[in-house]
Amino acid sequence: MSLIYCKECGKQVSSSAAVCPHCGFNLRTLDPNRSQKDWLTTLLLCFFLGEFGIHSFYVGKTGIGVVQLLTLGGCGIWWLVDFIMIVCGSYRDGERKFVSNK
């Protein structure tokens, strides 16, 4: 059984639950193609620590994070491309879901 966090109260609930048992929030209104990772956190990590690939580690892209760490964000180019993709809402997490502003 996998667990997710309720967007309303922040408590862990079953991913198959339709309603949060703690606060009654309807969990089915969430977009299945949208990542659970926070857009603003990803944006700030990319802006301040992008050359080290920390934003990639945060969203679950560990392999790419290691490569970015070793190449200093692809000499800055990879960092810039990721930053633009995050701002535009086309950046994906490790599960291939969009990290977008909610």
Side-chain angles (χ1 to χ4, degrees):
M1 174 193 320
S2 63
L3 297 173
I4 59 171
Y5 289 96
C6 174
K7 288 290 185 184
E8 189 68 22
C9 67
K11 296 190 179 182
Q12 285 186 337
V13 296
S14 171
S15 61
S16 61
V19 177
C20 176
H22 305 287
C23 67
F25 181 71
N26 185 359
L27 299 171
R28 296 291 176 209
T29 59
L30 300 177
D31 185 359
N33 294 322
R34 185 182 292 177
S35 174
Q36 295 295 318
K37 298 297 181 181
D38 185 51
W39 176 82
L40 183 60
T41 303
T42 308
L43 181 73
L44 293 174
L45 285 173
C46 184
F47 183 77
F48 290 110
L49 300 169
E51 60 271 6
F52 303 113
I54 303 302
H55 62 287
S56 295
F57 287 110
Y58 172 71
V59 297
K61 294 179 164 182
T62 352
I64 291 178
V66 169
V67 174
Q68 286 181 334
L69 183 63
L70 296 175
T71 63
L72 292 177
C75 298
I77 296 170
W78 203 341
W79 166 84
L80 183 62
V81 169
D82 280 356
F83 184 76
I84 292 169
M85 288 177 67
I86 293 168
V87 169
C88 294
S90 61
Y91 190 73
R92 293 179 183 255
D93 68 3
E95 298 176 347
R96 305 285 300 147
K97 295 180 179 181
F98 288 105
V99 178
S100 59
N101 194 359
K102 295 170 173 61

